[in-house]
Amino acid sequence: MKKYKLGNFIPIITMFIVFILGSVFNLKGLFIIGLVGIVPLSFFIEGMLCSIKSKNFIIPLVISLSVFLVVILVMLNDSANIYLIYYGVVYTLGYIFGVLISKFKNREKDSINKSQY
């Protein structure tokens, strides 16, 4: 069975793309939109994927938040630390949403299997 590892890197790749485009190409609008909208969306997707693939949710969250902490220390000031909490909450909401999707699919499969017998 092949392990699913892409979910661990979605927020990391998204962060680097947004921050490089925002700082190197001087696109401050993209930088702000990325910080508030695009990167949290990638955390939400990562949480959903970890839930659906039945992975441990702590390790990918710690990896992604650690990389964001490095980005804060290198590119931003300390006022961006609040985003660590924000991204953690968004990740957790994505994980919970994925759990609900998985339960709904399992309940649907169980009802189909029961109706066949």
Side-chain angles (χ1 to χ4, degrees), residues 11-69:
I12 296 170
I13 294 168
T14 306
M15 277 186 270
F16 283 126
I17 290 171
V18 166
F19 294 127
I20 287 172
L21 288 175
S23 62
V24 173
F25 296 111
N26 207 14
L27 300 172
K28 297 297 180 191
L30 177 67
F31 188 76
I32 300 296
I33 291 171
L35 195 61
V36 176
I38 297 171
V39 174
L41 181 63
S42 67
F43 271 89
F44 186 83
I45 292 169
E46 179 186 28
M48 279 183 41
L49 290 175
C50 287
S51 171
I52 291 170
K53 298 293 182 182
S54 300
K55 289 181 63 174
N56 184 0
F57 72 97
I58 297 293
I59 294 171
L61 177 62
V62 169
I63 291 170
S64 297
L65 289 178
S66 300
V67 170
F68 183 69
L69 183 63

Side-chain angles (χ1 to χ4, degrees), residues 1-2 8-9 14 17 26 39 41 50 52-53 61 64 66 71-72 75 80 87-88 91-92 95 102-103 116:
M1 175 182 260
K2 185 178 178 182
N8 294 344
F9 299 110
T14 306
I17 290 171
N26 207 14
V39 174
L41 181 63
C50 287
I52 291 170
K53 298 293 182 182
L61 177 62
S64 297
S66 300
V71 170
I72 288 174
M75 301 180 81
Y87 295 160
Y91 177 90
T92 305
Y95 190 83
S102 296
K103 285 186 178 184
Q116 289 178 352

